[in-house]
Amino acid sequence: MRATWSAGLALLLWVMLGADDARAEHLIVSVSNHRVTVTPNYSGEELVLFGSIERDGGAPLPSAGYNLVVTVSGPPADMITRRKERWFGIWVNASSRQFLQVPAYLAVFADRPLDKIAAPDILRQQRLGLNNVLLTQRVGPDYADVLPSDPFRRAFIRLRSEQGLYRENTSAVTFLTPTLFRTGIPLPAEVPIGTYTIGIKLLAGGTLIAKTDTAFEIVKVGFEQFVATAAKQHGLVYGVATALMALMAGWMASIVFRRD
């Protein structure tokens, strides 16, 4: 009797696991350009991310449909946000906060407002939205993130947003069909070079059910790339050459504007 009960329980668990696998969703995504080249006349562009939701076993669509959140994160960098105060009629830097290895470019795109997609604890757990992304800071002797209401954190996001380097658009993802989607990724002219990761998370009924990621890179080409490479790999030679060019330019200017 005990053996029969154990066998029945094992069979039930196998059926349940099999059913879960049959309902599994998978994301297939691609980006329109995996290598963006920056030339001297580069003024920005927009990439297109497109993909599909593959459902195993022909499982029915969720009653409320799918939700998608796309997070694009640029190369990490150390940055400082300063607070200005007015002393005796003059604006001066009063205090500052250092942000450590935070994304130089950060964008969040979704098909609907984030608070309509999942509960606040799920959004925090999955780091969805600018208010929930991890921004490590140096706070005294410690390294940690702080509350979204922290004035330095809010000022940092506001300043980066004004430059077009941080953004959140909750109507940017479009479902062309119940399982096909696309979104644009705007890249401003000031976009930094480096590798960018794209994290795609699929939710249904406020629960994460699938995720994947892809990447693209931004590189400089032409004379700008030559100068940047020379400065990085041959610093001494680059410095001497720059000084000689400055001296030559000054000498030529003295000849052109010399008074007889």
Side-chain angles (χ1 to χ4, degrees), residues 36 38 75 104 190-196 217-220 225 228 232:
V36 178
V38 176
E190 300 79 11
V191 68
I193 62 173
T195 301
Y196 290 66
E217 64 175 344
I218 298 179
V219 298
K220 286 184 178 180
Q225 177 61 26
K232 182 181 296 185

Side-chain angles (χ1 to χ4, degrees), residues 3-236:
T4 303
W5 182 85
S6 300
L9 179 60
L11 179 61
L12 177 61
L13 290 174
W14 181 84
V15 171
M16 292 175 64
L17 292 174
D20 288 341
D21 291 340
R23 292 195 302 266
E25 283 90 352
H26 304 281
L27 289 167
I28 300 177
V29 300
S30 185
V31 65
S32 58
N33 189 1
H34 287 276
R35 190 172 189 267
V36 178
T37 56
V38 176
T39 59
N41 59 348
Y42 178 80
S43 59
E45 66 176 286
E46 180 174 282
L47 302 183
V48 177
L49 174 78
F50 51 92
S52 66
I53 304 168
E54 299 294 327
R55 296 177 296 122
D56 294 340
L61 292 170
S63 58
Y66 293 112
N67 296 120
L68 204 73
V69 182
V70 177
T71 303
V72 185
S73 179
D78 293 342
M79 305 181 196
I80 297 178
T81 296
R82 293 182 171 87
R83 175 188 293 169
K84 292 183 178 294
E85 294 183 1
R86 192 162 185 166
W87 291 359
F88 305 105
I90 301 176
W91 289 100
V92 297
N93 294 324
S95 55
S96 63
R97 179 76 58 78
Q98 185 179 16
F99 290 79
L100 305 172
Q101 294 296 290
V102 294
Y105 175 92
L106 181 63
V108 179
F109 307 116
D111 64 300
R112 60 185 304 193
L114 297 178
D115 59 353
K116 305 295 183 182
I117 292 179
D121 58 332
I122 299 297
L123 297 178
R124 286 192 298 269
Q125 180 184 1
Q126 298 298 328
R127 303 292 184 186
L128 301 178
L130 293 183
N131 285 336
N132 297 307
V133 69
L134 181 63
L135 298 176
T136 303
Q137 304 159 54
R138 186 196 299 272
V139 185
D142 299 325
Y143 301 89
D145 197 359
V146 294
L147 294 174
S149 58
D150 176 75
F152 281 101
R153 194 183 198 278
R154 293 176 59 184
F156 175 76
I157 293 178
R158 175 179 58 81
L159 293 173
R160 302 297 291 178
S161 299
E162 291 175 355
Q163 299 172 7
L165 297 173
Y166 275 32
R167 62 183 68 210
E168 181 174 303
N169 189 340
T170 56
S171 60
V173 176
T174 301
F175 275 92
L176 307 176
T177 71
T179 58
L180 295 177
F181 58 86
R182 73 176 299 278
T183 187
I185 303 175
L187 301 174
E190 300 79 11
V191 68
I193 62 173
T195 301
Y196 290 66
T197 60
I198 308 176
I200 306 98
K201 294 187 177 181
L202 180 69
L203 298 95
T207 302
L208 179 70
I209 59 176
K211 63 180 180 179
T212 190
D213 57 73
T214 185
F216 65 93
E217 64 175 344
I218 298 179
V219 298
K220 286 184 178 180
V221 295
F223 181 73
E224 287 188 348
Q225 177 61 26
F226 170 76
V227 172
T229 302
K232 182 181 296 185
Q233 298 181 358
H234 309 285
L236 179 60

